[in-house]
């Protein structure tokens, strides 16, 4: 069973930056589309950023220009660089890996808290 492990969350002041990582054992990430989601208390889970197997990226409008998703296949890791953070970015961030072979794996999530 594939396990994804997120890291890098924490507490930061508004305007600050954090870098999240999503790692997996083996080389599964390089053959998967990776999506970062977030869920704030009382809100639906929302897509934050996605990077495809071919490294095509897309972002939620609310994070465009502030967040960057990237992948390092050699390290089996996908990153989410978050700059100019806002209090409304506060949420649990979770990564998901999917591919045409039927993989649909989730991490446990990492808390990001942005203070005003």
């Amino acid at each position: 069973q594939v396990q994804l492990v997120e890291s890098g969350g924490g507490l930061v002041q508004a305007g600050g930056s954090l870098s999240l990582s999503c790692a997996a054992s083996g080389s599964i990430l390089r053959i998967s589309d990776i999506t970062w989601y977030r869920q704030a208390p009382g809100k639906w889970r929302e897509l934050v950023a996605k990077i495809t197997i071919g490294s095509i990226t897309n972002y939620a409008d609310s994070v465009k220009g502030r967040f960057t998703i990237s992948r390092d296949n050699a390290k089996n890791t996908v990153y989410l660089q978050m700059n100019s953070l806002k209090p409304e970015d506060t949420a649990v961030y979770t990564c998901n890996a999917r591919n045409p072979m039927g993989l649909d794996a989730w991490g446990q999530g990492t808390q990001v808290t942005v203070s005003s």
Side-chain angles (χ1 to χ4, degrees), residues 33-55:
D33 294 341
I34 309 300
T35 305
W36 282 98
Y37 293 90
R38 67 185 181 188
Q39 187 167 18
K43 294 187 177 181
W44 294 103
R45 185 173 64 197
E46 63 173 340
L47 183 151
V48 177
K50 177 180 178 179
I51 186 165
T52 69
I53 296 172
S55 294

Side-chain angles (χ1 to χ4, degrees), residues 48-67:
V48 177
K50 177 180 178 179
I51 186 165
T52 69
I53 296 172
S55 294
I56 296 172
T57 59
N58 66 279
Y59 299 89
D61 288 343
S62 59
V63 306
K64 281 181 181 177
R66 300 189 297 123
F67 291 11

Side-chain angles (χ1 to χ4, degrees), residues 62-82:
S62 59
V63 306
K64 281 181 181 177
R66 300 189 297 123
F67 291 11
T68 302
I69 189 170
S70 61
R71 64 194 311 154
D72 185 336
N73 288 336
K75 295 183 178 180
N76 297 311
T77 302
V78 170
Y79 304 96
L80 184 67
Q81 178 65 41
M82 305 186 296

Side-chain angles (χ1 to χ4, degrees), residues 2 17 20 29 37 42-43 73 75-76 86 104 110:
V2 175
S17 298
L20 305 184
L29 291 190
Y37 293 90
K43 294 187 177 181
N73 288 336
K75 295 183 178 180
N76 297 311
K86 304 175 181 180
D104 186 4
T110 185

